[in-house]
Amino acid sequence: MASDSPESLMAICTDFCLRNLKGTLCYLLDNEILRLHPDIFLPSEICDRLVNEYIELVNADSSFEAHDSFFTLFSEPQSTRLARLHLREDILQDQDLEAIRKQDLMELYLTNCERLTAKSLQTLGNFRHTLVSLSLFGCSNIFYEEESLGGYHDTDRLVNPTRQVLVRDFTFQGFQFLRFLNLGCITKGVDVEMMLRPLICLKALNLSGIQLNNIGFLSQWKDSLVSLVLYNMDLSEEHIQVIVQLHKLRHLDISRDRLSSYYKFKLTRKVLSLFVQNLEELISLDISGHLTLENCTISKMDDELGPPSNDPSKSSISPFRALKRPLQFLGLFETSLCRLTHIPAYKVSGDKNEEQVLNAIEAYTEHRPEITSRAINLLFDIARIERCNQPLRALQLVIAALKCHKFDKTIQVTGSAALFYLTNSDYRSEQSIRLRRQVIQVVLNGMETYQEVTVQRNCCLTLCNFSIPEELEFQYQRVNELLLNILIPTRQDESIQRIAVHLCNALVCQVDNDHKEAVGKMGFVMTMLKLIQKKLQDKMCDQVMEFSWSALWNITDETPDNCEMFLNYSGMKLFLECLKEFPEKQELHRNMLGLLGNVAEVRELRPQLMTSQFITVFSNLLDSKADGIEVSYNACGVLSHIMFDGPQAWFIGEPTRQEVEERMWSAIRSWDISSRRNINYRSFEPILRLLPQGVSPVSQHWATWALYNLVSVYPEKYCPLLVKEGGLPLLTDLVEMPSAHQETKDMASKVLDLCSSYEDSMDTSL
């Protein structure tokens, strides 16, 4: 099983402090600006973690409150010191970077921070004396500044209009310690050569997605550059000639997205041979997405027999037979080469098998969502058709991709589909609680971000793989809100509606009353009644209809506020209409009567049930044989609570109280005491309250019959519950009660005997 050890103390403290800034590290100035307490001094190990975790929480947890002044907490290095920051998405703004300008940053990774402008370029200059690693990947607006057009009077409709102007004169002058630089996907038109020329000793450079016709300037770092990424750059012979001069290269990535656009360049045997001959220190090469113009492979006649080998001398890719040792990594995703037998690398990305696909997801998740989504789609097929050999690794990689690309619809669709198969019962025993909670978090993020049908369906189906409500309880309110939002449009996709109602029903079953009351206040009762109303209009009694009534039955159990909502939102009207429209639907009748039993348990609400129409319906249902005894039993339960209020509460003329009482006696006597039940009692309190009274002997008899049936058919479950809730003294008193019927006393004695025998057997077994 994956590690189920608790979170580290550092992780727990960091999370707690970030969620309770005002109660731990900070106070509010003027009720709006966060300020650090003056007696707090934090080293970079803690400050880095606080900032990086803050970004993660804002991205991943919708309940987490972002603070406009958060970065000002780290404005003074004397009290809070920063060194290594990883910031992503459009959370970050120019003023945030400006707030930490005094810090001596060594690493600054900015990924897809699209709200940063040229103001942040100026701020970067403050870090030039210490910065070693810098990434501006996907910061598409950081080379733009606003320029005022001028020439407008205040009376004009457009006051001080501006336009975006490309900054062309920025260079890395003065960044003498900068060694690792990622400029992937920066704005077109920027003069990369001029910008980079001041850097003296560059070791790693990423120019992904940038089209440069001439990369000759790279040769100035031929003695220092160890990593070069030119993903999606349209290459030429001239590019290759420059690359092979960079003799210190250990990692070279010239891969491309096969689907993005047309590339003239074709990978040949000659090019691969040049790499092998000139780049002797190379341990990692990525040529994914390339077409090979010539045949780079060994003929089938000459290919080595035997099991797959990474020995270069046996390589099925002919130029790689000249390698002195296997590569650590070889990227062959979406190339024909990945399907060859002998590949001289310890780790290969490709689409041949599960291992290659997982390597692809791992390698490309952070910066290449377009590739990652296709790799996850391949993993989905593997998980759906075969059994995964590395299910934990697969699950962790999909979670990472979904977290990293929360706003990428394609990844959310493919990732949520893969999660459904990776969390099913086949793999459950290998997954830790922490890992399964991470799955739930990313699933809920997907549901929150995308109202699109496929994502919603995939996410709902994945949630069905969890123990409900237990595994979802840590996100109970959030998951209920999201499911209710799905159900509010009553014309929702039928399959999503069915799954969402099923989940709602499961979530309110077997939870405490506080949870039920909270969900009721979210609009649960009204939402279910609207679904029922829509199904009635369509004259359709399907799973959505039955699940909706079942959910209402569960959420009203011992929850008076929800019972009152049911009555206030015309629930009884819908009950009568459903009975009339679907007279043969036994499961429906059972669910509806179970719900009304809950309503009848609330003394203050019973007068609303005391109408001739309702009492007649309940009385007629006493004769129902639907679902065994369940409908008749529940109807009798409703009437038993109404009878318990005494003759003075019977303020209708027809039917009379005596007539209904006789029909109740007749119904109870017709039931088989050994009937197995389709019901689950968490408490006997509503039944027990009917025992110590003489105003309604038939109610007393119904309650005693219910207890006798349950403890005789399910003694292991219900004998302990009856003892725990003080039922035995009440039954003992009932046996001595003059007003009780003899058959009720006899039945009470049998219940006492059964519980006594059960307790004796437990003592013996101990």
Side-chain angles (χ1 to χ4, degrees), residues 688 722-723 725-733 751-752 755-756 759:
L688 294 176
L722 186 58
V723 171
E725 296 196 331
L728 300 190
L730 294 175
L731 288 164
T732 303
D733 292 345
V751 176
L752 290 167
C755 287
S756 176
E759 287 188 306

Side-chain angles (χ1 to χ4, degrees), residues 304-311 314 340-343 352:
E304 295 279 344
L305 298 176
S309 170
N310 58 19
D311 183 348
K314 296 181 179 180
L340 298 174
T341 305
H342 305 299
I343 301 175
K352 177 184 178 182

Side-chain angles (χ1 to χ4, degrees), residues 629 633 668 671-673 701-709 747:
I629 68 166
Y633 171 88
I668 297 169
W671 301 337
D672 180 359
I673 196 65
H701 190 65
W702 174 84
T704 309
W705 189 97
L707 295 173
Y708 183 30
N709 165 253
M747 203 171 280

Side-chain angles (χ1 to χ4, degrees), residues 403-420:
K403 277 185 177 178
C404 190
H405 300 288
K406 182 179 173 181
F407 300 104
D408 188 297
K409 180 181 168 184
T410 310
I411 281 191
Q412 292 298 319
V413 169
T414 57
S416 57
L419 284 183
F420 171 69

Side-chain angles (χ1 to χ4, degrees), residues 3-9 11-12 434:
S3 172
D4 214 1
S5 58
E7 295 275 3
S8 69
L9 186 58
I12 293 169
R434 193 195 304 179

Side-chain angles (χ1 to χ4, degrees), residues 608-661:
Q608 296 188 53
L609 302 179
M610 182 54 72
T611 70
S612 293
Q613 184 183 28
F614 294 158
I615 299 299
T616 300
V617 168
F618 298 145
S619 300
N620 290 337
L621 287 170
L622 289 169
D623 301 326
S624 171
K625 304 301 179 189
D627 200 16
I629 68 166
E630 296 302 336
V631 172
S632 177
Y633 171 88
N634 285 328
C636 199
V638 173
L639 291 168
S640 293
H641 288 286
I642 293 172
M643 287 282 186
F644 177 55
D645 291 336
Q648 71 278 4
W650 198 274
F651 46 77
I652 58 171
E654 292 292 331
T656 66
R657 190 170 187 270
Q658 184 178 352
E659 287 170 351
V660 174
E661 187 175 11

Side-chain angles (χ1 to χ4, degrees), residues 250-280:
R250 295 169 62 80
H251 171 67
L252 173 62
D253 183 345
I254 57 167
S255 62
R256 44 163 290 208
D257 177 5
R258 183 174 53 84
L259 302 182
S260 64
S261 61
Y262 174 73
Y263 290 88
K264 297 187 290 292
F265 180 76
K266 302 292 187 296
L267 205 58
T268 65
R269 180 185 300 206
K270 177 185 174 184
V271 170
L272 293 179
S273 295
L274 283 171
F275 290 161
V276 173
Q277 292 162 13
N278 293 277
L279 307 177
E280 294 186 357

Side-chain angles (χ1 to χ4, degrees), residues 457-472:
R457 185 190 299 113
N458 291 346
C459 291
C460 285
L461 282 170
T462 300
L463 290 178
C464 291
N465 285 336
F466 291 80
S467 297
I468 303 171
E470 296 83 7
E471 288 192 281
L472 300 184

